[in-house]
Amino acid sequence: MALDFLAGCAGGVAGVLVGHPFDTVKVRLQVQSSEKPQYRGTLHCFQSIIKQESVLGLYKGLGSPLMGLTFINALVFGVQGNTLRALGRDSPLNQFVAGAAAGAIQSLVCCPVELVKTRLQVQEAGPGRAYRGSLDCLAQIYWREGLRGLQRGVGSTLLRETPSFGVYFLSYDLLTRALCCEPGGPLLVPKLLLAGGTAGILSWLSTYPVDVVKSRLQADGLRGPPRYRGMLDCARQSYRAEGWRVFTRGLASTLLRAFPVNAATFATVTVVLGWARPQGEGVAALAQSSSL
């Protein structure tokens, strides 16, 4: 239904504005050179960006997710809500299936948006920068590599999004049920924030190594000739060069970002659905038909 898409759009805006600085730090840590690392960790990366590029440096590439991820979030919640209704019963298994379906469908849209965001977050500040902004980056990739270039990393994006969104909606559903003292009881905004934030953390933990590979593939070639032939080659080279810890690089900033972003997203979505149709259906059965 249209309300699912509208609520998802509002949740997407809230999530992007809250989480983009953390995402910038995550990407910088994921793609930095192991031989000459620029940052010692999450806090040092935050401090360095602010010192060298001001607070605005943390919002590099904001245009792409603000335009794209807002629509993507609307797509995710719209597909999830309609898939759940099509399955006919609100159960934990159906929550996972509906979430996985939403993750798979939005991957094709998400991939070019994250490609542009990653390129802008990684490029150096100053007059010699490769891209002037989101649209310029999108245009340059298209003219140099065509439509195929815009889908760089689509395999790893699909592999990340499909199970992680299943975990995302399943964990939110289970948490909202657990936080209700009795069936149909009230689930207030603080509990929505807790459930949404925890669901976000669990979904990232379920597929984080794949996200590291995706970021490396999408940043590949920006600072020299391309190094990777594909997803498996990227994973092999990264493991050989840096060991298993490479697949946890940037995890701290990701989890710091995951809680407030997804808390804001799910709370906004559920509140919007609650205002629009207090007796209707929605995300996690409209938070168990809670009174907001």
Side-chain angles (χ1 to χ4, degrees):
M1 294 176 66
L3 284 175
D4 293 312
F5 290 94
L6 176 63
C9 185
V13 171
V16 169
L17 293 177
V18 169
H20 193 77
F22 296 97
D23 190 67
T24 298
V25 170
K26 179 203 76 166
V27 171
R28 294 277 185 101
L29 290 171
Q30 285 178 336
V31 305
Q32 71 175 342
S33 168
S34 60
E35 291 82 11
K36 296 180 180 179
Q38 189 175 356
Y39 310 111
R40 294 191 298 273
T42 300
L43 183 59
H44 181 242
C45 187
F46 264 112
Q47 293 172 333
S48 297
I49 293 173
I50 293 172
K51 183 178 180 179
Q52 297 168 13
E53 306 170 46
S54 81
V55 174
L56 294 179
L58 293 170
Y59 285 91
K60 272 188 173 180
L62 177 65
S64 174
L66 198 58
M67 291 185 294
L69 294 182
T70 300
F71 168 75
I72 289 169
N73 223 59
L75 182 64
V76 165
F77 282 91
V79 170
Q80 190 271 345
N82 284 284
T83 302
L84 190 60
R85 280 187 287 274
L87 291 172
R89 189 166 67 92
D90 181 8
S91 67
L93 176 60
N94 286 348
Q95 286 284 350
F96 181 86
V97 171
I105 289 173
Q106 62 90 41
S107 292
L108 294 177
V109 183
C110 175
C111 183
V113 171
E114 294 209 355
L115 174 63
V116 170
K117 174 182 69 64
T118 298
R119 293 288 182 92
L120 290 173
Q121 287 172 326
V122 169
Q123 75 171 350
E124 300 291 341
R129 65 187 188 276
Y131 310 112
R132 296 190 300 273
S134 299
L135 293 179
D136 179 58
C137 181
L138 194 68
Q140 286 198 45
I141 294 171
Y142 175 75
W143 288 118
R144 291 173 182 173
E145 305 174 54
L147 290 174
R148 187 174 182 179
L150 293 175
Q151 290 297 329
R152 177 180 291 196
V154 68
S156 53
T157 303
L158 184 64
L159 192 61
R160 181 194 70 179
E161 301 290 74
T162 303
S164 71
F165 272 97
V167 172
Y168 189 45
F169 284 99
L170 170 62
S171 55
Y172 183 73
D173 178 66
L174 294 176
L175 285 164
T176 52
R177 292 177 190 275
L179 289 171
C180 278
C181 296
E182 56 187 38
L187 184 64
L188 303 178
V189 169
K191 293 183 178 181
L192 289 176
L193 294 172
L194 176 61
T198 305
I201 287 176
L202 292 175
S203 69
W204 272 108
L205 286 173
S206 68
T207 58
Y208 189 77
V210 181
D211 184 66
V212 175
V213 172
K214 180 200 72 69
S215 293
R216 292 192 157 210
L217 284 172
Q218 292 185 327
D220 192 31
L222 185 61
R223 295 176 176 174
R227 297 175 55 191
Y228 310 120
R229 296 190 301 273
M231 183 168 56
L232 291 177
D233 182 55
C234 178
R236 276 195 299 265
Q237 287 196 45
S238 298
Y239 178 76
R240 286 173 184 168
E242 304 174 56
W244 64 268
R245 290 184 183 275
V246 68
F247 299 112
T248 65
R249 185 181 283 183
L251 180 60
S253 60
T254 298
L255 297 183
L256 283 172
R257 168 183 176 266
F259 192 93
V261 167
N262 292 287
T265 298
F266 260 122
T268 301
V269 168
T270 309
V271 168
V272 169
L273 287 174
W275 284 340
R277 52 172 192 215
Q279 303 303 319
E281 301 170 353
V283 178
L286 194 52
Q288 309 310 310
S289 300
S290 62
S291 84
L292 300 167

